Amino acid sequence: MPQIFTASADTRLRTAALLLAVVFVVSLLFTAGFMNSTYVTSVGWVVTQPVPFSHEHHVGGLGLDCRYCHASVEVSAQASLPATHVCMTCHSQIWTGAPVLAPVRASLADNKPLHWQRVARLPDYVYFNHSIHISRGIACVECHGRVDQMPLLARGKPFTMEFCLDCHRDPGPHLRPRDQVTRMDWTGWHQDPKVAHEQLKAFGIQPDKLTNCYICHR
Amino acid sequence: MEREQAGPPSFNRRSLLQAMAASLALAAANGRRAEADERALPYVNAPEYVVPGKPKWYATSVRFAGYLQPVLGKSIAGRPVKLEGNDQHPATGGATDLFIQAALLGLYDPDRSQVPLHLGQPATWAAFDTDVFRLTAEIDRTQGQGFRLLTGAVSSPTLLRQIGDMQKRWPGMRWHVTEPINEDERLEATGRVFGRPLQMLPDFSAPAAIVSLDDDFLGPGPRQAMQARAWSKRQPRIFMAEPTPSATGTRAGERLIVPSARVQVLAQAIALGVGMTGVAAADLTAPEKKWVDDAVGALGAGNGLVTLGALYDAALHALVLLINERLGSFGKALRFTDPILAAPPDGKDSLAVLVDDMKAGRVTTLLILEAEPLQATPAALDFRTALEKVAFSVHGGLYADATANACHWHLPLQHELESWTDGRAPDGTVAIVQPLIRPFLNVRSPHVVLDRWLGGTASDHDLVQASWQTGWQEALLAGFVADSAPAAVTPTVRDRTVPLPQVPSSDGLVVEVRPDATQWDGRYLHNSWLQETPKPLIQATWGNVILVSPALARERALSNGDELSLRFGNGELLGAAWIMPGQEPHTLTIGVPDSFGFLDSRRQAGVRLEKTGKTRVIASSQPIQDMGEFDYVRTVESGGEAAAQHKDDVSFYPPRKWDSPSWGMSIDLDRCIGCNACSVACMAENNVPVVGAELVAHGRQMHWLRIDHYTEGEADAPRHHFQPVPCMQCEQAPCEMGCPVNAAVHSPDGLNLQVYNRCIGTRTCSAYCPYKVRRFNWFEYTGDDPDSIRAMRNPDVTVRSRGVMEKCTYCIQRISGARIAAKIAGRPIHDGEVVTACQQACPTQAIVFGDITDPNSAVSKRKASPRNYSLLEEANTRPRTTYLARVRK
């Protein structure tokens, strides 16, 4: 019988199989790395806005509280963005002619809303409720990062489900007193695990129920 | 990709790669679309009291056949997403019906007429205003001779004021009303007996026994919410005599199946039985005699009510009035007020007079507002020919249908949910209707149309406000004007003579015409929620059927779906046969919409029936309705008796202790009248898609909550039952066990959850579910929704895509909202704080939902009743949704 396969056929086959396995593992690693990279999570990627609003100046420099603009964060699921009117409470008196604020003035004059590009957006199937988080002592910076250090806003934390679950599984280290939630630079309880555990009870948080699907999804 | 000639793509390597690249680009583009709304548009000037993310509730009403149905409209981001009952309203106390729930879709219907049409071509309001301006000069000259206004039934004080203004300016003008399903005979009867027409307002919570002569007072209609709620308070015993099964008949303790011709004889017998004189005796058959004796006995115990169906002759209504007088129910179970709907000058002959005048050429200008005479009047009237003789005809309505196309002008009108208007609820209470959204189409309110016709420039808001000088704010807050119901009248009988007509012939087959349970008189043709809602007792969707009795079916060898031809005179009706257990042997039932082309009265004897030989597919949601040996719906002999249980309490595991709150639901089958308000409310609340007739015929309807209809006993005289079936939220759920990807999980508060993102569409859960409450998205039902439908969707509930399973969630969005609100306030969830959509909608309060770990909650008390049982107990699923057995009355 003539030989169908050459002498090196085995070697070639094994090399190909090994290569396939390596490629498979590498592609898995690549996908995992890619999905956790900022290409997908957008962490640190600055988003272009119609007006280059600087949180660093307004929050860090001037000391405005988050709730001055994001007014419904304590009562509603949405934190909400400020109406043009809110910007104009100050900017009708200061920087009144600044070209950079022209879109704001135009918005008020034409009665057309500003088209802000959303930074902290979750998918539609996640039903996130701000008010319960604020009420339970989760600070704004826990999820949104140090906006007082951002001249232009970018996502501070990756909004992956893993990120949410990390806290939901163990909320203790992320808690702080209810009246300190909007402070940028508060440290206090995270260092002491005992305090964290006591605060869990004080806030009435039950971590074993927090990881259930129905808490966030419907 | 350029091609030399058309034809199927040739799959060489190049074109294949090109096709792949194109589809990838398309997919990317599609993905881009899903991510596209990454913008946020806040207010420019935020209105006061608006918290983004929190809904606002407004008290308003929707209109049905001239009456207002009070609702609380839930508005999110400036648009209504749900209608609920107004629990403070004196008439309904929060009850709704399916027409109220489906009114939401009427606002957002993409089929709605969007531009004025002139001779079928899109035109502008300015062009119409110009035409009217020229026309009114002519009408002024003739003092209104030849100008007619045709509307549906009207109870709106503002509209009546405007019509009055028109009549003052143009004395020759006349107003006509066409409302196919009405109470004209009752009004004529009261006019005859009391000397002036009065509105009869029976109070179904007052009597101890109700004798109903073919009056489906729990059935569909503008009074259903009010009457069903009243009846449900004490659930008095009902004696029913009817030729065709009805919702009220299913609640009757004794149901007599008789042709409608015998109703007169029964009324006479009852009159004699309660001791009236001067009434002719009549021969009764043995079953009739027994029924009459039992009925009279129940009435004789004091505090009874006799009621007669609206479509019977005025003379018979007069007799029934006298029977009620004899029973002493005037002022108690039967109240009278001045008529609630305004009567047009020609009364019940209004439409006939108009058509006569049109045919004689006496009508030069016809304005039709919110009436559909070409679709909803008998063909014998020949409105189309009459309309051709009118020089200038204008139709205003929500849809551009046949009537619109036959008129010179069609005007798109506003829906009540985007309008200022007013009117009266079925008890006569006045309400002001306020809009929940600014009109998003190029539409006008009927008030504005009339005002412009008169040369005015007011908005509908100003026109309505002009009618209501005081109490405006209070009326808007409450949803009604307090104490505005007309005062009760204590009438005195002036005329005791009751000239009864001859008993109508029952020769051959008799066709009874009944209001369509989901289409009413055909006006809801475009409303897909109502089209897809199965008609109670029949379970047919997307079209109507001809009901035949089992006896007739045996005699003529008919089966379900056989196409029948009914002939009378020159009219013919083709329809699918449906064998209706409990139907009178020689009676056929058709719906009002089918009757227009065929008959011109509500009852016709001597109809000929033939099979055409063809069959029609009936899109039925429940092909098998005979309960047979099973006991899905159980009956107990008295209220204290325990329902049959076959529990098999075998389990390896110790009983689980649930933390509070743990949710459960109890459905009282004695109260359920099969109205389907709960089913449509669930569709509105949970973004449930509509699938269409073909898929319903395959059993693929998406209703999360369905009403099953069962007949028990022999087909000729069975008992009828309704059973709402939501997800049972089983503690031992087979679906959770079967799902290969763990998309069906259990929450700590007792809910069976469906995680859409995990679902890969194996449908194992549905196969394992013994109740078949899990619905699968076989196709992409929601992906290409028009913008107005997307605006209607509830943002608190996920809109499901193709390939995922969905089911009732016990309104988890409401539970979550209550849970968060309670946590923030630092308190437990109160009983009654979470009300599911179905529970809220139910007019008879059959559904109760709450915390089963709290022994004092309403649901725990219901479940503690001996009548409590679970469906399919032998499956050992431990369902959280349980039922209360019916009580044999």
Side-chain angles (χ1 to χ4, degrees):
Chain A
M1 245 173 67
Q3 294 294 323
I4 307 169
F5 295 105
T6 66
S8 59
D10 273 346
T11 316
R12 279 189 272 154
L13 181 64
R14 285 172 193 154
T15 316
L18 182 65
L19 205 61
L20 197 66
V22 167
V23 163
F24 179 67
V25 170
V26 166
S27 66
L28 279 183
L29 289 173
F30 175 79
T31 309
F34 179 75
M35 293 307 287
N36 279 321
S37 76
T38 60
Y39 282 101
V40 172
T41 64
S42 306
V43 171
W45 283 35
V46 164
V47 179
T48 315
Q49 302 288 355
V51 178
F53 179 79
S54 167
H55 279 84
E56 184 184 25
H57 169 60
H58 289 82
V59 181
L62 298 178
L64 279 180
D65 188 275
C66 313
R67 290 164 291 190
Y68 187 80
C69 297
H70 302 283
S72 62
V73 72
E74 287 169 313
V75 294
S76 165
Q78 295 175 21
S80 78
L81 288 177
T84 310
H85 191 261
V86 174
C87 309
M88 294 307 286
T89 53
C90 289
H91 288 291
S92 53
Q93 298 168 58
I94 50 175
W95 292 88
T96 52
V100 74
L101 289 171
V104 184
R105 293 191 294 274
S107 162
L108 189 73
D110 300 334
N111 204 27
K112 286 189 157 54
L114 285 162
H115 289 213
W116 297 104
Q117 301 296 323
R118 294 195 61 182
V119 174
R121 188 170 180 276
L122 290 171
D124 282 346
Y125 48 81
V126 179
Y127 291 90
F128 180 78
N129 188 306
H130 274 92
S131 60
I132 187 67
H133 286 81
I134 300 296
S135 145
R136 286 292 175 266
I138 308 293
C140 310
V141 294
E142 289 287 337
C143 303
H144 295 289
R146 291 295 300 267
V147 297
D148 62 327
Q149 293 165 356
M150 298 183 194
L152 288 171
L153 204 64
R155 228 179 250 192
K157 304 287 170 87
F159 285 163
T160 54
M161 187 164 163
E162 183 188 12
F163 166 73
C164 298
L165 283 181
D166 279 343
C167 182
H168 272 237
R169 285 179 174 135
D170 185 18
H174 302 275
L175 300 176
R176 64 169 74 173
R178 174 74 179 76
D179 54 358
Q180 304 291 332
V181 290
T182 55
R183 280 186 60 177
M184 296 288 124
D185 57 355
W186 190 86
T187 57
W189 293 346
H190 333 289
Q191 280 92 351
D192 189 346
K194 199 160 77 73
V195 173
H197 186 69
E198 279 162 22
Q199 292 312 317
L200 264 183
K201 283 229 195 62
F203 276 119
I205 300 173
Q206 296 162 296
D208 56 333
K209 292 199 176 148
L210 276 180
T211 49
N212 239 278
C213 307
Y214 77 119
I215 295 284
C216 310
H217 299 293
R218 291 174 193 162
Chain B
M1 293 194 291
E2 303 295 326
R3 287 230 162 72
E4 295 294 301
Q5 71 274 12
S10 58
F11 278 111
N12 59 39
R13 220 183 89 229
R14 172 171 291 177
S15 62
L16 181 64
L17 285 173
Q18 281 175 337
M20 283 167 64
S23 67
L24 196 64
L26 266 176
N30 214 29
R32 199 89 294 272
R33 178 174 179 272
E35 295 291 332
D37 60 309
E38 296 203 16
R39 296 175 308 162
L41 276 61
Y43 286 106
V44 176
N45 282 301
E48 279 186 271
Y49 310 119
V50 171
V51 177
K54 281 192 128 50
K56 291 186 72 58
W57 293 85
Y58 294 96
T60 180
S61 305
V62 291
R63 228 171 341 134
F64 183 25
Y67 289 104
L68 288 191
Q69 311 281 310
V71 294
L72 294 179
K74 176 181 177 188
S75 191
I76 292 185
R79 57 184 205 280
V81 295
K82 182 73 173 60
L83 300 176
E84 307 218 321
N86 185 345
D87 46 359
Q88 293 185 9
H89 197 281
T92 57
T96 65
D97 64 16
L98 80 167
F99 297 120
I100 294 172
Q101 295 292 337
L104 182 70
L105 181 58
L107 168 71
Y108 290 107
D109 195 343
D111 279 349
R112 265 179 77 188
S113 172
Q114 304 194 10
V115 288
L117 296 175
H118 179 52
L119 298 172
Q121 297 303 313
T124 60
W125 283 105
F128 176 70
D129 288 338
T130 314
D131 267 4
V132 167
F133 183 68
R134 283 194 218 116
L135 190 71
T136 47
E138 180 61 30
I139 300 178
D140 275 334
R141 203 178 55 79
T142 59
Q143 290 271 297
Q145 282 297 333
F147 173 42
R148 303 298 173 95
L149 172 66
L150 177 64
T151 66
V154 173
S155 68
S156 159
T158 300
L159 199 72
L160 291 169
R161 179 170 60 83
Q162 288 183 293
I163 294 173
D165 288 343
M166 272 191 157
Q167 283 169 328
K168 256 191 238 114
R169 176 165 166 183
W170 298 311
M173 168 239 174
R174 217 166 167 75
W175 168 49
H176 302 268
V177 167
T178 170
E179 189 69 48
I181 302 172
N182 54 52
E183 289 191 303
D184 287 344
E185 299 293 326
R186 286 193 179 132
L187 287 169
E188 188 181 318
T190 49
R192 182 181 307 182
V193 173
F194 302 123
R196 62 186 174 103
L198 292 175
Q199 180 76 45
M200 292 166 58
L201 285 176
D203 179 1
F204 293 103
S205 67
I210 302 171
V211 175
S212 172
L213 296 164
D214 200 10
D215 183 17
D216 189 13
F217 58 87
L218 296 175
R223 319 171 81 81
Q224 181 180 38
M226 178 175 78
Q227 292 183 170
R229 178 56 61 97
W231 173 81
S232 72
K233 289 193 181 127
R234 291 179 50 203
Q235 297 175 61
R237 233 184 128 191
I238 302 175
F239 293 83
M240 180 63 136
E242 60 184 4
T244 185
S246 67
T248 315
T250 68
R251 303 297 107 188
E254 274 194 48
R255 181 173 175 259
L256 180 69
I257 305 171
V258 282
S260 60
R262 297 294 290 167
V263 165
Q264 179 173 316
V265 171
L266 292 171
Q268 287 168 227
I270 291 175
L272 288 171
V274 298
M276 278 173 64
T277 53
V279 178
D283 284 325
L284 297 176
T285 65
E288 288 172 354
K289 187 158 189 334
K290 178 180 184 308
W291 184 85
V292 168
D293 286 343
D294 290 344
V296 168
L299 291 173
N303 198 8
L305 174 69
V306 178
T307 176
L308 176 69
L311 50 77
Y312 286 87
D313 263 349
L316 199 54
H317 279 288
L319 174 61
V320 170
L321 279 171
L322 295 174
I323 296 175
N324 279 308
E325 187 210 17
R326 175 96 193 155
L327 289 173
S329 55
F330 281 14
K332 284 185 271 174
L334 185 56
R335 286 174 29 244
F336 298 92
T337 65
D338 284 329
I340 297 170
L341 294 175
D346 299 301
K348 71 177 194 181
D349 298 319
S350 191
L351 182 65
V353 165
L354 174 65
V355 173
D356 264 341
D357 287 348
M358 283 163 75
K359 285 182 178 159
R362 290 191 279 271
V363 177
T364 50
T365 309
L366 177 63
L367 172 58
I368 305 173
L369 283 183
E370 295 178 324
E372 304 291 330
L374 278 182
Q375 290 117 266
T377 54
L381 208 60
D382 203 4
F383 198 92
R384 184 179 287 276
T385 312
L387 189 57
E388 281 163 14
K389 298 214 163 117
V390 176
F392 187 80
S393 53
V394 180
H395 168 259
L398 286 176
Y399 299 99
D401 279 339
T403 311
N405 292 333
C407 290
H408 298 107
W409 273 98
H410 164 73
L411 310 175
L413 294 184
Q414 284 176 217
H415 191 273
E416 303 86 78
L417 290 172
E418 51 185 5
S419 302
W420 287 97
T421 181
D422 52 16
R424 289 184 187 269
D427 70 337
T429 309
V430 177
I432 300 170
V433 173
Q434 58 173 324
L436 267 61
I437 186 172
R438 189 168 294 188
F440 45 89
L441 299 172
N442 191 9
V443 291
R444 269 189 194 171
S445 153
H447 295 300
V448 169
V449 169
L450 285 184
D451 191 59
R452 295 289 177 278
W453 199 285
L454 283 165
T457 51
S459 67
D460 57 348
H461 170 265
D462 295 337
L463 288 165
V464 174
Q465 200 170 36
S467 305
W468 300 102
Q469 309 299 341
T470 57
W472 177 257
Q473 286 294 335
E474 291 89 341
L476 290 179
L477 273 172
F480 56 94
V481 179
D483 300 321
S484 58
V489 168
T490 332
T492 44
V493 174
R494 292 184 201 274
D495 184 356
R496 285 187 188 278
T497 60
V498 182
L500 286 175
Q502 260 200 316
V503 174
S505 121
S506 283
D507 288 343
L509 296 174
V510 178
V511 167
E512 296 286 337
V513 180
R514 291 284 182 269
D516 189 307
T518 59
Q519 293 288 297
W520 191 235
D521 55 3
R523 65 183 59 190
Y524 292 111
L525 178 72
H526 291 269
N527 190 313
S528 55
W529 287 351
L530 290 174
Q531 286 277 21
E532 190 143 303
T533 300
K535 299 181 208 301
L537 298 160
I538 309 169
Q539 303 291 60
T541 66
W542 293 97
N544 210 341
V545 293
I546 299 173
L547 299 185
V548 301
S549 67
L552 190 69
R554 289 192 293 269
E555 188 186 311
R556 307 276 189 106
L558 303 173
S559 0
N560 284 343
D562 282 347
E563 196 187 57
L564 301 179
S565 158
L566 299 181
R567 274 182 219 273
F568 182 77
N570 287 332
E572 184 190 11
L573 178 68
L574 292 173
W578 183 264
I579 301 172
M580 185 75 233
Q583 179 93 347
E584 199 276 325
H586 295 287
T587 300
L588 307 167
T589 305
I590 65 175
V592 167
D594 287 333
S595 74
F596 290 126
F598 175 48
L599 300 173
D600 57 3
S601 63
R602 288 295 140 75
R603 188 191 171 278
Q604 188 58 59
V607 172
R608 294 194 313 283
L609 173 128
E610 269 159 20
K611 284 206 296 196
T612 63
K614 302 198 208 121
T615 51
R616 289 194 180 189
V617 173
I618 299 175
S620 171
S621 67
Q622 189 189 355
I624 299 176
Q625 297 173 30
D626 179 14
M627 203 156 77
E629 304 281 311
F630 297 105
D631 61 351
Y632 307 132
V633 176
R634 295 179 202 171
T635 311
V636 296
E637 294 303 317
S638 70
E641 185 185 310
Q645 313 277 340
H646 21 97
K647 255 203 316 226
D648 210 11
D649 218 341
V650 175
S651 171
F652 290 130
Y653 305 102
R656 178 172 167 175
K657 193 176 170 315
W658 296 91
D659 287 339
S660 175
S662 204
W663 305 105
M665 182 184 275
S666 172
I667 303 178
D668 187 348
L669 294 176
D670 229 6
R671 289 172 177 256
C672 178
I673 54 173
C675 68
N676 272 297
C678 55
S679 188
V680 182
C682 176
M683 291 185 87
E685 170 78 10
N686 293 297
N687 303 332
V688 176
V690 163
V691 301
E694 200 183 321
L695 287 174
V696 172
H698 289 152
R700 293 180 172 181
Q701 64 273 18
M702 297 301 286
H703 294 116
W704 285 12
L705 169 61
R706 63 173 192 265
I707 309 286
D708 282 341
H709 165 246
Y710 295 110
T711 55
E712 182 186 8
E714 37 169 273
D716 290 321
R719 294 189 67 217
H720 291 268
H721 303 296
F722 294 116
Q723 185 171 45
V725 183
C727 173
M728 298 285 138
Q729 311 283 351
C730 308
E731 290 177 7
Q732 315 258 41
C735 56
E736 289 170 16
M737 194 168 50
C739 178
V741 294
N742 211 30
V745 291
H746 219 77
S747 81
D749 46 2
L751 299 172
N752 171 276
L753 306 171
Q754 179 66 20
V755 182
Y756 303 122
N757 247 10
R758 282 187 192 162
C759 178
I760 57 169
T762 65
R763 308 184 291 282
T764 311
C765 54
S766 173
Y768 279 31
C769 176
Y771 308 100
K772 292 293 175 270
V773 290
R774 283 175 157 271
R775 316 308 307 175
F776 187 65
N777 283 279
W778 291 95
F779 299 102
E780 180 64 63
Y781 297 129
T782 54
D784 55 355
D785 280 339
D787 283 343
S788 64
I789 299 292
R790 296 178 79 200
M792 178 183 75
R793 301 238 179 262
N794 184 352
D796 291 332
V797 176
T798 309
V799 178
R800 284 80 56 190
S801 176
R802 186 186 64 175
V804 294
M805 191 66 81
E806 60 185 55
K807 67 172 187 75
C808 158
T809 59
Y810 271 2
C811 281
I812 190 169
Q813 64 278 9
R814 298 183 179 208
I815 295 174
S816 285
R819 179 172 50 81
I820 286 172
K823 273 212 152 124
I824 292 176
R827 57 166 175 81
I829 305 178
H830 304 308
D831 183 36
E833 190 176 346
V834 181
V835 175
T836 58
C838 51
Q839 178 186 4
Q840 202 296 314
C842 181
T844 55
Q845 296 178 307
I847 300 178
V848 173
F849 175 81
D851 183 1
I852 61 167
T853 59
D854 172 10
N856 295 320
S857 67
V859 72
S860 296
K861 291 192 179 130
R862 280 249 187 125
K863 283 179 188 266
S865 159
R867 292 161 51 208
N868 186 59
Y869 73 96
S870 310
L871 189 58
L872 299 181
E873 265 156 338
E874 56 273 23
N876 208 22
T877 52
R878 315 283 174 89
R880 284 291 175 91
T881 308
T882 58
Y883 295 92
L884 293 185
R886 293 193 68 184
V887 179
R888 199 177 299 278
K889 291 201 181 84

